[in-house]
Amino acid sequence: MSSDNAAILSVPTNIITGFLGVGKTSAILHLMKNKPENERWAVLVNEFGEIGVDGSLFQGRHSEGEKVFIQEVPGGCMCCAAGLPMQIALNQLLIEAKPDRLLIEPTGLGHPKEVLEVLSSEHYRDVLSLQKTLTLVDARKLSETRYTHHDTFNQQIAIADTVVGNKLDLYAEGDKALLEAYVKKHAHPDVKVLFTRHGQIDFKEFEGETYMTQPQAHDHHHHHHHGSKPLASEAPMPESGVLMAKNEGEGFESVGWRFSPDKVFDRKKLSLLLHDLDVERMKAVFITDDGVFGYNLSESNMLEMELDDCLESRIELIAEAVDINFEDKLMACLD
């Protein structure tokens, strides 16, 4: 794929899916550490929230100079509206990156069967070579009915070539056996189950064709977003220098904020505020008095990472109900 005019053919493509906070982004970041130096990789990342943070997190750790290209589809399940948002973003990414491998991370509240349908459609048949779909699961969640009774959680397991029990270091006795039994009941008979911590998955697990080349018909579903509305992630910044956007669906809601780049945050105040959050999921990038930092929180476990750069500060919260007054608390952290 060295020539700009070369046809894009049979790009090895993996879907990395799993519910909220299970470690999909960590798994992709770990995988990219092992990218062959001469290869061009592309990542299509989908977020439930309207603001879009993952792209900034990835780009802050990897640049196009390293032959890693990122495209984001914020605002809910990217398969909605007949897959149009996904197809537009994917086509742009393929043209720009001309990748040797494509990684796709649907939102934890997305519908991977429909994503597979788009990717296996006639339009992409010669362009993409669908390889293994990996579904990350935190086995500790199998004791909670809000996961085991959630259609998306079960669909993610049903379409997997490999189920990865992530966060192994946090499991209690019996958690591994519980996941193995659950997968046996809900997944394809030939599915592989493996366990890891911190999303550290060997590259060989991504190689080989998926068995799910012809997904079954899916149930119609709804999110509270519409393909025709302008994306909050790309909207012009208002004079106030703060933009808020909300989304809801699948029993969760998200609230996100963008801040103009002239707003610099006090890192110590910000860190204390974010550590105290009680939400299902938080991702953020902030311009602080100490530099640019990314934040990734699930289950009161927060990871802070220094980034090379970002265009502006962004944060996204996902919970069953998000406190709108959180904006005031954020503003109190300005330097």
Side-chain angles (χ1 to χ4, degrees):
M1 297 185 192
S2 56
S3 168
D4 287 346
N5 297 318
I8 300 170
L9 296 171
S10 300
V11 177
T13 301
N14 298 99
I15 296 174
I16 298 101
T17 188
F19 218 67
L20 294 172
V22 75
K24 300 184 295 295
T25 301
S26 297
I28 292 176
L29 285 169
H30 177 265
L31 186 64
M32 289 198 294
K33 289 178 184 174
N34 301 299
K35 180 187 78 69
E37 198 172 313
N38 63 328
E39 287 192 3
R40 298 164 67 90
W41 282 19
V43 182
L44 183 65
V45 58
N46 173 216
E47 291 187 71
F48 180 67
E50 299 276 345
I51 292 296
V53 176
D54 272 337
S56 298
L57 283 173
F58 281 124
Q59 286 162 344
R61 300 290 288 275
H62 294 272
S63 68
E64 292 180 8
E66 297 174 334
K67 300 180 181 177
V68 174
F69 299 80
I70 318 291
Q71 185 80 13
E72 211 168 27
V73 187
C77 175
M78 65 181 168
C79 62
C80 293
L84 194 58
M86 175 182 171
Q87 289 181 52
I88 292 169
L90 178 54
N91 293 345
Q92 288 175 343
L93 182 59
L94 290 170
I95 291 167
E96 176 193 10
K98 299 180 175 60
D100 297 292
R101 179 165 296 272
L102 171 66
L103 305 174
I104 296 180
E105 180 193 339
T107 167
L109 295 170
H111 302 80
K113 277 188 181 178
E114 289 89 314
V115 173
L116 271 168
E117 285 184 353
V118 173
L119 298 178
S120 59
S121 66
E122 188 174 350
H123 180 74
Y124 293 111
R125 196 157 292 156
D126 295 328
V127 177
L128 305 179
S129 171
L130 292 182
Q131 303 216 325
K132 289 181 179 176
T133 294
L134 279 73
T135 296
L136 277 66
V137 180
D138 182 347
R140 298 172 301 160
K141 303 297 188 186
L142 295 175
S143 60
E144 300 181 40
T145 55
R146 65 177 179 146
Y147 290 90
T148 57
H149 290 181
H150 202 293
D151 289 342
T152 299
F153 180 84
N154 289 316
Q155 188 187 109
Q156 289 166 348
I157 291 174
I159 59 94
D161 295 288
T162 302
V163 172
V164 180
N166 196 28
K167 306 190 178 185
L168 177 62
D169 48 317
L170 303 177
Y171 289 6
E173 187 176 351
D175 283 342
K176 284 179 67 175
L178 192 62
L179 179 57
E180 287 168 336
Y182 196 86
V183 169
K184 192 171 184 179
K185 182 178 178 182
H186 292 274
H188 187 270
D190 296 328
V191 71
K192 179 177 181 178
V193 180
L194 59 90
F195 295 89
T196 190
R197 49 181 63 84
H198 310 303
Q200 296 180 358
I201 306 167
D202 196 302
F203 177 70
K204 69 183 181 189
E205 302 298 342
F206 292 81
E207 297 181 297
E209 287 189 359
T210 177
Y211 80 87
M212 269 306 263
T213 51
Q214 294 187 338
Q216 300 171 355
H218 60 271
D219 296 328
H220 193 65
H221 59 274
H222 297 278
H223 291 306
H224 295 264
H225 63 276
H226 308 281
S228 59
K229 74 175 182 180
L231 291 173
S233 60
E234 299 172 7
M237 184 68 70
E239 283 187 24
S240 65
V242 181
L243 187 150
M244 184 188 79
K246 295 186 283 186
N247 188 24
E248 58 180 306
E250 302 296 316
F252 290 87
E253 68 177 36
S254 71
V255 182
W257 290 267
R258 291 172 53 202
F259 298 92
S260 58
D262 61 302
K263 295 194 183 302
V264 177
F265 289 79
D266 183 304
R267 182 184 168 199
K268 289 181 180 177
K269 290 181 183 177
L270 186 67
S271 184
L272 287 170
L273 174 64
L274 298 182
H275 268 102
D276 202 35
L277 273 170
D278 181 19
V279 293
E280 190 77 20
R281 200 78 180 88
M282 180 277 291
K283 289 186 179 181
V285 290
F286 278 104
I287 299 169
T288 80
D289 55 346
D290 277 344
V292 178
F293 287 86
Y295 299 89
N296 198 334
L297 179 143
S298 60
E299 292 180 28
S300 71
N301 178 30
M302 190 174 80
L303 174 67
E304 181 187 54
M305 64 202 94
E306 189 166 7
L307 304 179
D308 293 334
D309 199 7
C310 73
L311 294 176
E312 62 185 30
S313 297
R314 297 184 173 205
I315 182 169
E316 196 87 57
L317 309 179
I318 300 178
E320 292 180 352
V322 177
D323 177 13
I324 297 297
N325 295 323
F326 187 68
E327 180 177 323
D328 296 333
K329 298 175 184 177
L330 281 169
M331 298 302 284
C333 294
L334 284 171
D335 186 34

